[in-house]
Amino acid sequence: MTQRDFPKPGPAVPLPLEEWLNLTDRAEVGREPFFRGRDSEYQVFRNGVSSLGEGHIGGGTMIFQGAPGAGKTALMSECMESVRLHSTPEDPWVAVSVEANTLNSAASVVRIMVEETSREIERLSGKFPGQVSGSMEKLKGIGQKLLSDLTKRAYTVSTGGMDVTMHGRPENAPNPENIPAEIVFRDAAPILDNVRLVVFVDEAQNTPMGDSTKGVINCLHRNTQGIPLVAAFFGLSDTENRLGNCGLSRPPDERVVNLELLTHEEASEVIKSVLESYNFIESLENPETWIDRLAQLSQGWPQHINRVSVSACRVIAKHEHQVRGELLEYAIEEGRKSKENYYDMILRRCSAQPWIYKKLALIAKDGDDILRLDDILQIAQYARTRKGTPVDDFLTDALHAGVLIETRHPPSRYQIPVPSLGDYLRSLKDDPSSNAIP
């Protein structure tokens, strides 16, 4: 296998204009029709799956992390689509989506892997009639038997060369959900050894901690028990740290990706494709100026690119065939309002009072947009909710709300992910108490 076997999928088909304009969040779209950029990030994914295709099993785990709105789910959708496009009867690949909160149960994870493999065999059988081998069709039946055993809470455990079947839940038999992950993965290996699986975990910062999770993470990362798989975790900015606490031995640095701003050129390409898809380019006297101004307003943040594009298209659609020059300023103002609405939403997600985040933004500006952990911990001493109770974990709260992201170079430093978010936070009102923070 070569890396050419996993090209980026072509663009998805855009939704009808009215339907697209009525969506309140880009996450509702599913696979984004205007996905652009992220070439270096996608290269990390392509290297991982290519390595699996060449027979390297275990240790290829990838982590993609960033603040809310950075485009993690969109990138994951593109990666999943590339796996589906690559799958053939002769070389079947399976994209497996697993919820983070499922990772504390090996039986549940294996159940999902087997179910998705069965679905992929059915899909290939329908798409390529007569080309799916008999052995693959048989695997589907064996997989159904394993699923039945799991569902009935009966499980066959190999011990000393003998098969011991546990039915029901006798007092002296372990709960199948709690059987060591290595045993569950090992017994599923004969079903899955003729396919390659890419396991996708979204919102991976929510991975539960515990011994059972550590066993599952170990099987997904290194000790796959012979199942040809690679795992890709997508989550908020502290996902790498969370997975480390859940038993993931630190993956190679080049397999951990922080999703940050797109370039101005990439943002412009997205906005241009939006205007072209809905035949708005010809309505504009100077489309290049529209594209450039909207891309500047977005600052390359994927969530903002979508918001300013929607705002501009609403203005153009409302004034169809009468798009005058001054309407660009109206579209810019609408896009700016949409950005501020997004920042209002971020602030509502935060546990502490707003003036605390203003202090963060002011200190960041004085420090070349970089915050040290000591700076944050000092501010955290004064973090109180709007009801006056302390915020238990101020830093985690700020990361999950999207106020901060952790930098990788240097480590243990933090920054506000979008420049205009810093401006917004600095514009907030001061704390009514004059001596809140020295």
Side-chain angles (χ1 to χ4, degrees):
M1 171 178 296
T2 66
Q3 291 182 354
R4 290 191 301 274
D5 293 327
F6 271 92
K8 268 191 178 182
V13 178
L15 295 170
L17 176 62
E18 289 302 319
E19 185 177 346
W20 180 67
L21 292 179
N22 287 333
L23 293 175
T24 58
D25 191 275
R26 53 200 270 273
E28 298 176 358
V29 176
R31 184 170 168 240
E32 287 193 10
F34 307 115
F35 182 86
R36 298 290 188 280
R38 299 299 185 208
D39 291 336
S40 61
E41 294 86 348
Y42 185 79
Q43 183 67 41
V44 172
F45 173 77
R46 190 164 65 170
N47 289 344
V49 293
S50 296
S51 179
L52 176 63
E54 292 161 1
H56 302 291
I57 299 176
T61 299
M62 298 162 278
I63 300 173
F64 300 88
Q65 60 186 14
K72 301 178 296 297
T73 301
L75 176 62
M76 188 180 84
S77 296
E78 291 298 302
C79 294
M80 292 184 73
E81 181 67 13
S82 72
V83 172
R84 296 187 187 102
L85 291 175
H86 180 75
S87 182
T88 65
E90 298 79 21
D91 185 19
W93 285 71
V94 185
V96 182
S97 178
V98 176
E99 296 290 332
N101 59 12
T102 305
L103 295 177
N104 61 355
S105 167
S108 296
V109 171
V110 165
R111 182 183 293 120
I112 295 169
M113 290 164 59
V114 172
E115 288 173 343
E116 291 301 326
T117 299
S118 295
R119 289 192 186 98
E120 179 60 16
I121 294 173
E122 289 179 2
R123 187 187 73 84
L124 291 173
S125 297
K127 187 175 181 180
F128 304 97
Q131 295 186 39
V132 175
S133 67
S135 61
M136 288 295 295
E137 290 286 359
K138 257 185 203 178
L139 283 180
K140 193 167 69 170
I142 299 171
Q144 292 303 317
K145 173 64 168 59
L146 176 60
L147 289 176
S148 176
D149 286 346
L150 288 170
T151 301
K152 293 175 182 175
R153 309 188 75 78
Y155 200 79
T156 300
V157 181
S158 298
T159 58
M162 298 179 61
D163 287 340
V164 180
T165 302
M166 301 180 298
H167 293 277
R169 295 185 60 187
E171 292 182 3
N172 60 347
N175 184 334
E177 295 291 326
N178 297 326
I179 292 173
E182 291 82 358
I183 294 177
V184 183
F185 274 71
R186 184 189 63 199
D187 288 353
I191 303 168
L192 302 171
D193 64 352
N194 288 325
V195 298
R196 294 183 177 89
L197 298 97
V198 186
V199 179
F200 294 88
V201 182
D202 200 8
E203 303 295 340
Q205 77 282 350
N206 295 326
T207 301
M209 297 175 65
D211 290 339
S212 58
T213 301
K214 288 181 180 180
V216 174
I217 293 289
N218 183 53
C219 287
L220 291 177
H221 179 48
R222 290 196 181 279
N223 193 13
T224 70
Q225 302 298 316
I227 299 174
L229 69 82
V230 65
F233 295 88
F234 295 75
L236 296 179
S237 302
D238 58 343
T239 293
E240 181 185 9
N241 291 335
R242 180 69 173 190
L243 292 175
N245 292 332
C246 291
L248 179 68
S249 56
R250 191 168 294 277
D253 186 66
E254 62 270 15
R255 292 191 187 273
V256 181
V257 177
N258 279 12
L259 298 180
E260 299 177 348
L261 301 174
L262 297 177
T263 66
H264 180 79
E265 291 72 20
E266 290 168 336
S268 298
E269 186 181 350
V270 176
I271 294 166
K272 181 180 179 182
S273 69
V274 171
L275 296 175
E276 288 178 340
S277 295
Y278 295 116
N279 300 317
F280 284 149
I281 288 287
E282 295 179 358
S283 302
L284 307 176
E285 292 180 4
N286 193 342
E288 292 79 12
T289 301
W290 279 71
I291 292 168
D292 184 66
R293 291 282 305 280
L294 293 169
Q296 288 181 28
L297 180 62
S298 76
Q299 296 186 318
W301 194 242
Q303 179 67 247
H304 290 340
I305 294 172
N306 180 79
R307 284 175 172 263
V308 302
S309 297
V310 169
S311 297
C313 286
R314 284 175 176 167
V315 170
I316 297 170
K318 184 177 179 181
H319 299 85
E320 190 174 5
H321 306 307
Q322 298 181 26
V323 183
R324 301 178 300 277
E326 61 269 23
L327 287 178
L328 173 56
E329 299 307 321
Y330 179 37
I332 293 293
E333 182 58 28
E334 291 299 298
R336 187 175 291 111
K337 289 178 183 177
S338 183
K339 283 178 59 177
E340 291 206 354
N341 288 340
Y342 181 67
Y343 292 151
D344 288 342
M345 180 182 66
I346 285 179
L347 205 57
R348 290 194 297 271
R349 289 176 182 163
C350 296
S351 296
Q353 297 181 27
W355 60 268
I356 288 284
Y357 303 102
K358 176 172 184 171
K359 290 291 185 182
L360 273 181
L362 289 171
I363 293 174
K365 187 174 183 180
D366 292 339
D368 296 326
D369 297 324
I370 295 294
L371 284 158
R372 298 172 305 154
L373 182 58
D374 288 346
D375 297 326
I376 297 170
L377 294 179
Q378 180 186 2
I379 291 177
Q381 297 179 56
Y382 303 89
R384 299 288 186 273
T385 69
R386 291 174 177 84
K387 296 180 180 179
T389 58
V391 177
D392 292 333
D393 196 335
F394 176 76
L395 177 57
T396 299
D397 176 76
L399 290 169
H400 287 192
V403 172
L404 295 176
I405 57 173
E406 184 176 2
T407 65
R408 288 185 61 75
H409 306 291
S412 299
R413 297 290 189 274
Y414 300 84
Q415 62 185 161
I416 297 170
V418 194
S420 56
L421 173 57
D423 295 336
Y424 167 85
L425 295 174
R426 286 186 285 271
S427 72
L428 297 173
K429 292 181 179 180
D430 288 314
D431 173 49
S433 172
S434 59
N435 59 353
I437 295 182

